[in-house]
Amino acid sequence: QWIQDIAHELRTPLSILRGEIEAIQDGINAADEPTIHSLHQESLHLQRLVEDLYTLSMSDSGALSYHKAEIDLLQTLRESLNQFEYSFQEHGLNLEQRLPANTVASVQADEQRLQQLFHNLLKNSLRYTDAPGKLKVVFQTSADWAEIQFTDTPPSVPDEALPRLFERLFRVESSRNRLTGGAGIGLSICHNIVEAHGGQIQANHAPEGGLQVTIKLPLKTLSKKTIRG
């Protein structure tokens, strides 16, 4: 099934690339700027897919490297959200941030992998949330844990799909699985990154009618920033 699913995912961009190149060779299409741009976009799609498959296979085998250091989880999250602000506006979506101000949430983590985690979740909401809509990101703490909730508006997923969302190559057969959707790899990578940091990740139906993904990561310390006046 793995091989069949991977072959299916690789076949689509390859078929498009081959079709467009053959159309140029046969003189049907001109090798002009729009055509070159289309070829470039398909090659980027193919590259992202192969890189995601490689990352997932490395993670599954335990060979994915993690370089952990003490970092500010809130700052890493805030930077990731700021990078996606414009993309959400472009898609008619509101990105609502509910993060505590003047607070440092220290964790022992690989900052690059956490950015990858947040980016995958943001891309997931960006890809599947109907416009006009919203993604709300909430940060809170309980005991020695930091909890981050990504809650978006409709559409959601069927009940039976919730426990399978983090399975590799699983795709929802519903309105949350469109032609513009991914290959069912991003959330699997998220799951592996969270587990590698001793955390937990789960998905539920959101009160707003979409999907709610909750991440829990172990905290080292939580403190207030010193404000110089």
Side-chain angles (χ1 to χ4, degrees), residues 46-218:
L46 190 59
Q47 181 183 17
R48 285 192 296 266
L49 179 56
V50 172
E51 286 176 351
D52 282 349
L53 286 167
Y54 178 73
T55 300
L56 184 58
S57 66
M58 292 282 286
S59 183
D60 281 346
S61 65
L64 192 64
S65 60
Y66 286 86
H67 305 284
K68 295 181 180 179
E70 187 169 337
I71 64 168
D72 182 0
L73 177 61
L74 265 170
Q75 182 62 24
T76 302
L77 175 60
R78 189 175 286 110
E79 289 174 359
S80 295
L81 293 175
N82 290 341
Q83 289 175 30
F84 277 79
E85 189 79 47
Y86 181 71
S87 295
F88 272 77
Q89 290 177 5
E90 271 195 323
H91 286 75
L93 303 172
N94 179 36
L95 181 54
E96 180 182 336
Q97 304 183 35
R98 294 192 182 180
L99 313 182
N102 306 323
T103 300
V104 175
S106 296
V107 295
Q108 192 72 19
D110 184 321
E111 186 170 24
Q112 184 178 350
R113 296 301 175 195
L114 288 188
Q115 287 175 343
Q116 186 178 13
L117 163 68
F118 298 145
H119 287 192
N120 281 354
L121 292 173
L122 288 163
K123 288 175 185 175
N124 192 65
S125 283
L126 189 62
R127 180 179 291 130
Y128 297 123
T129 306
D130 288 339
K134 179 177 73 172
L135 170 65
K136 180 174 64 177
V137 181
V138 178
F139 182 97
Q140 53 194 4
T141 58
S142 57
D144 298 323
W145 294 88
E147 183 178 288
I148 308 168
Q149 286 186 342
F150 290 75
T151 307
D152 61 33
T153 48
S156 187
V157 300
D159 292 341
E160 62 273 14
L162 281 175
R164 300 192 60 196
L165 284 180
F166 301 105
E167 292 181 14
R168 57 197 54 76
L169 293 174
F170 176 73
R171 298 176 71 170
V172 178
E173 297 301 326
S174 75
S175 57
R176 264 189 100 97
N177 178 26
R178 302 173 181 159
L179 293 175
T180 55
I185 300 172
L187 290 180
S188 296
I189 294 174
C190 289
H191 178 269
N192 288 358
I193 291 174
V194 171
E195 281 206 334
H197 285 85
Q200 304 165 18
I201 186 170
Q202 65 179 15
N204 293 288
H205 294 300
E208 290 85 350
L211 189 68
Q212 183 175 78
V213 176
T214 303
I215 301 164
K216 292 183 69 175
L217 293 170

